[in-house]
Amino acid sequence: MFYREKLLLEITTVSLEQITILHNRFRQLSQNEESLRKDDFKTIQDLESNPIRFQIVEAFFDKRNFQKNDVGSVEEIGFEEFLTVMSYFRAPALHITEEKREEIRRAKLRFLFNMHDTDNDGTITLEEYRHVVEELLSRSGALGRETAKGIADAAMLEVASISVGPMAPDEFYEGITFEDFVKILKGIEIETRMYIRFLNMDTTVMCK
């Protein structure tokens, strides 16, 4: 086994077989180049119909998701970054400690939080949350933009009541912090539900 493959195994806990599968897909998307750019994702037909496709693509180029304690974004990524982001969609192994399971859960929650925190300021604001909910609802075709906006506003106020409690009429809600986000999703099982098909491959193959 090559040194680089060993390093990738340590970083992502993805098996060698899974690394090979993902590397083949990476080379297809990048047209056999060593790096992947945002425009390369335009060739993915399944992604066109995804209402949060912008957030999904941006997540692959967000330094916060590379597990290197860095911030900002990049214009292109190599296979290591691609693999690291894809690993967030892998279900945890069955036989791991509770401590490790909690670590994996927080990593996944942080990844989801980053997708919503589009301006990278450490909070999910009403505007950011509204945008995501509006896109999800209005693009489904069932609701108009104004109706979707109203639902998004109501949902954000409900989230605010959970994270900070009742507020005075003149009080300004600054937004959801990561710890608020963890609290809101407490009890909701996400570890095995995060999977994507937009790469023309089912990421449940990574759960073997």
Side-chain angles (χ1 to χ4, degrees):
M1 185 183 296
F2 295 104
Y3 171 77
R4 182 167 179 265
E5 290 172 331
K6 286 184 177 179
L7 180 61
L8 292 175
L9 286 171
E10 292 174 0
I11 293 173
T12 64
T13 67
V14 176
S15 73
L16 181 58
E17 177 187 3
Q18 293 155 358
I19 288 175
T20 301
I21 292 171
L22 288 170
H23 187 259
N24 289 337
R25 187 59 179 133
F26 176 86
R27 300 295 286 199
Q28 289 175 353
L29 288 173
S30 67
Q31 300 180 52
N32 223 30
E33 296 290 333
E34 292 296 327
S35 61
L36 192 64
R37 298 172 180 82
K38 293 178 184 179
D39 283 348
D40 293 322
F41 284 79
K42 292 180 179 179
T43 63
I44 305 172
Q45 292 183 350
D46 289 343
L47 192 58
E48 281 297 310
S49 59
N50 194 306
I52 57 169
R53 62 186 181 278
F54 174 79
Q55 286 87 350
I56 292 173
V57 173
E58 288 297 314
F60 280 86
F61 299 86
D62 188 335
K63 290 182 180 180
R64 294 175 296 176
N65 298 328
F66 298 164
Q67 299 181 14
K68 295 180 179 179
N69 296 320
D70 205 351
V71 294
S73 61
V74 294
E75 294 301 314
E76 57 185 51
I77 57 172
F79 178 63
E80 180 180 325
E81 290 78 24
F82 176 79
L83 179 63
T84 301
V85 174
M86 287 297 294
S87 70
Y88 289 106
F89 298 94
R90 180 174 181 262
L94 294 176
H95 305 293
I96 57 174
T97 64
E98 284 303 313
E99 182 180 0
K100 184 63 176 178
R101 189 175 298 278
E102 180 61 24
E103 179 185 328
I104 292 172
R105 176 179 172 80
R106 285 185 68 88
K108 287 175 179 286
L109 287 173
R110 175 63 76 176
F111 175 77
L112 291 174
F113 182 86
N114 290 345
M115 286 183 67
H116 290 75
D117 178 21
T118 54
D119 62 1
N120 194 12
D121 69 347
T123 61
I124 299 173
T125 64
L126 173 60
E127 201 59 40
E128 289 168 332
Y129 189 82
R130 177 190 292 146
H131 175 72
V132 173
V133 175
E134 281 183 24
E135 289 295 302
L136 285 170
L137 295 177
S138 64
R139 287 182 177 273
S140 69
L143 297 173
R145 175 69 67 176
E146 285 304 310
T147 302
K149 178 180 179 297
I151 293 174
D153 288 349
M156 190 60 178
L157 289 174
E158 182 178 354
V159 166
S161 69
I162 294 172
S163 57
V164 299
M167 295 183 296
D170 60 345
E171 196 173 356
F172 178 72
Y173 180 56
E174 296 181 353
I176 304 170
T177 66
F178 177 64
E179 292 306 322
D180 291 335
F181 193 68
V182 172
K183 185 192 306 182
I184 292 163
L185 293 180
K186 183 179 181 181
I188 298 178
E189 198 280 323
I190 66 163
E191 289 83 345
T192 60
R193 295 182 181 180
M194 284 180 61
Y195 64 91
I196 48 177
R197 295 179 183 272
F198 68 84
L199 292 173
N200 294 331
M201 62 171 291
D202 186 350
T203 51
T204 54
V205 72
M206 298 174 64
C207 304
K208 295 179 180 177

